[in-house]
Amino acid sequence: MKIGLEIHVQLPTASKMFCSCPTTDAEAPNTHVCPVCLGMPGAKPVLNRKVMEYGIMLAKMLNCKIPETTWFSRKTYFYPDMSKGVQITQYDNPVGGKGVYYLHGKKPIGITKIQLEEDPGKTKRVGDQSSLVDYNRAGTPLSEIVTDPDFSSPAEAREFLKQLIADIRHTIDLPGDGERSIRCDCNISIGKERVEVKNVTGLRNVERALTFEAIRQTKVLKAGGKVERETRRFDEERGVTISVRKKEFEADYGYINEPDLGVFHIGELVRSITIKESPVNMALRLSREYGISEKTADQMVLTSMNLAATFETIAKTTGSPQTAVSWATGTMAANWKAFEASGKDPKGIVDIMEKFAAGKITDVETDMELKAYMTGADIGAIKAQSADLNQIICSYLDEHPEIVDEIRKNEKAINRVIGHVMKETGGRYSSSDIVSATKGALASKL
């Protein structure tokens, strides 16, 4: 089985690729259009500089070779959603190529190329005989990331996309719903011929479409048939792929260089652009440099890269990565959403942790100060809650002294305390609060 992906990413520019029409949602069809994005005679395109910058940033993220010069081509095809009969794209000299991207930081996935191109419009079927076309989307900038056929299963392709989307979102500040801005053409071959499943959206649907197609092709071959080279679409409701047309060959598109745009000398721009560390690379580095597990590093980064950065600052200033990770994955992670919404400076968190590391405050006091600072809650109210929680836990431990010995042998035994407190208080306290308070109560007993 060979699987390769062609991932189309809608770039988050304010205007279209070759004109000043907005890329925002329009109130009505065919209102965000002009002679350029409709391809009217005499209208000439002008490249949006931000599109090229985004393309270079993604090429760097994918460890691609980036040329000194690049240019665009005309791809000829006659579909209603492309009114000018050609699509401006890149072909023989794209913005990046021959890259490599590591799945989970380990398995290399080859990147054939990354190219920039304009999106066509949208076609909507009306009944059996007619279609309506909305050109608002026509000219919206895309980057197309083409992988080598390096995936061994549909599940692996899904994992790759999940990781890639997170890295793309971070690299070019793609909106939080970035998955909606990504469409995927899935290429799969069980035997000799390759089948393309066009325009699949959503991680789950990519896996479903590839799984169905793998089973379908296997059945055809086992029955003595031949898998046809074709383009298919994925029906999300039924979970099946449906033949659309015979798959074109490159020569069928009649590529020619785009004469209205010329050659772009991008070497100086490439050297001036730096990109942020990706979430995957950050997790791998934290694990390597601070001796924490990859799973723990992933957990922090997925919660928030700012949380991971705060952990790193605490680990450096206190000299104790294990202390830093304990608090970062506990009290800090539990309250991070409220903290980021408050807009406060992480330095306040670091200051509290420095006091703890210096022995100026206890772990219980540290927990309360962190909660007060991160959530904005009154520390007096937090102390009252803490006293109530400590009383419940201490009473329970006094009544069941055997639990102290159990926890000494296996820390997972603390789940008995969590269960009791949850039942006693109706779930008023979080499990992380109960664990923290229990450890404090046990400090004098263990």
Side-chain angles (χ1 to χ4, degrees), residues 68-352:
E68 288 287 315
T69 59
T70 187
W71 55 82
F72 290 85
S73 299
R74 288 183 179 180
K75 178 181 179 181
T76 304
Y77 64 91
F78 298 97
Y79 297 141
D81 56 9
M82 186 58 76
S83 59
K84 55 192 174 187
V86 297
Q87 178 191 31
I88 300 178
T89 182
Q90 293 187 304
Y91 178 54
D92 51 353
N93 201 50
V95 70
K98 297 181 179 178
V100 61
Y101 182 81
Y102 292 91
L103 179 59
H104 300 313
K106 296 174 182 176
K107 180 176 179 177
I109 303 297
I111 304 299
T112 308
K113 64 178 178 178
I114 172 173
Q115 63 188 34
L116 301 171
E117 62 188 25
E118 61 179 341
D119 212 356
K122 290 181 179 180
T123 303
K124 181 180 179 180
R125 295 287 297 178
V126 180
D128 296 329
Q129 303 295 325
S130 303
S131 296
L132 298 176
V133 183
D134 178 7
Y135 291 109
N136 281 332
R137 194 179 70 181
T140 297
L142 302 176
S143 69
E144 180 180 1
I145 299 167
V146 182
T147 78
D148 294 347
D150 288 344
F151 303 105
S152 57
S153 70
E156 189 174 67
R158 176 178 179 170
E159 279 298 302
F160 168 85
L161 268 180
K162 179 182 178 181
Q163 178 180 305
L164 181 69
I165 290 170
D167 279 352
I168 291 173
R169 180 178 295 138
H170 181 70
T171 301
I172 63 173
D173 296 321
L174 201 65
D177 61 347
E179 187 181 331
R180 294 175 51 212
S181 303
I182 294 176
R183 303 194 302 275
C184 192
D185 298 342
C186 306
N187 297 285
I188 178 170
S189 61
I190 300 298
K192 294 181 179 180
E193 284 296 348
R194 170 172 63 95
V195 172
E196 178 185 50
V197 185
K198 198 80 172 172
N199 289 332
V200 183
T201 58
L203 302 178
R204 179 170 173 266
N205 285 333
V206 166
E207 184 176 9
R208 290 174 66 209
L210 285 168
T211 300
F212 175 86
E213 191 56 28
I215 294 171
R216 185 191 71 83
Q217 290 184 33
T218 300
K219 287 181 177 179
V220 169
L221 293 173
K222 283 185 175 180
K226 179 183 177 182
V227 174
E228 297 290 336
R229 178 186 172 95
E230 63 179 339
T231 296
R232 302 175 72 89
R233 70 176 179 85
F234 181 61
D235 186 317
E236 295 182 16
E237 291 187 4
R238 293 191 291 159
V240 301
T241 66
I242 301 166
S243 181
V244 176
R245 61 181 182 272
K246 296 299 179 185
K247 178 63 181 168
E248 301 90 343
F249 291 85
E250 292 294 287
D252 296 329
Y253 290 119
Y255 286 98
I256 62 170
N257 290 345
E258 171 54 70
D260 291 333
L261 289 171
V263 176
F264 293 88
H265 297 264
I266 61 173
E268 187 175 338
L269 179 61
V270 171
R271 288 183 283 276
S272 70
I273 290 177
T274 57
I275 61 172
K276 296 177 285 187
E277 185 178 36
S278 73
V280 170
N281 287 339
M282 185 181 196
L284 290 171
R285 182 179 59 79
L286 293 179
S287 175
R288 181 178 63 252
E289 293 183 3
Y290 296 97
I292 61 176
S293 70
E294 289 184 11
K295 182 178 180 181
T296 299
D298 284 339
Q299 178 186 337
M300 285 194 294
V301 170
L302 287 174
T303 299
S304 168
M305 290 191 72
N306 291 329
L307 170 63
T310 303
F311 151 79
E312 186 168 19
T313 302
I314 295 169
K316 287 178 178 177
T317 57
T318 64
S320 176
Q322 291 306 316
T323 297
V325 78
S326 176
W327 287 99
T329 56
T331 301
M332 288 165 56
N335 296 284
W336 196 260
K337 188 174 182 180
F339 172 71
E340 286 202 324
S342 72
K344 290 181 179 178
D345 192 335
K347 187 178 182 305
I349 295 175
V350 177
D351 291 342
I352 294 170

Side-chain angles (χ1 to χ4, degrees), residues 363-434:
D363 53 354
V364 174
E365 291 170 330
T366 302
D367 184 68
M368 290 189 291
E369 287 197 23
L370 283 174
K371 288 176 186 173
Y373 181 75
M374 295 180 74
T375 66
D378 180 68
I379 195 163
I382 291 175
K383 286 181 177 179
Q385 286 185 338
S386 178
D388 178 54
L389 179 58
N390 286 335
Q391 179 60 45
I392 295 171
I393 291 172
C394 287
S395 297
Y396 182 67
L397 293 177
D398 288 342
E399 293 172 7
H400 302 277
E402 73 280 1
I403 294 179
V404 176
D405 290 330
E406 289 179 19
I407 296 174
R408 182 186 291 116
K409 297 173 184 175
N410 183 3
E411 193 170 300
K412 290 184 178 180
I414 208 168
N415 288 332
R416 287 184 59 185
V417 183
I418 294 173
H420 170 76
V421 175
M422 287 286 193
K423 182 178 179 181
E424 187 78 11
T425 64
R428 190 164 71 247
Y429 299 99
S430 69
S431 58
S432 61
D433 287 341
I434 299 169

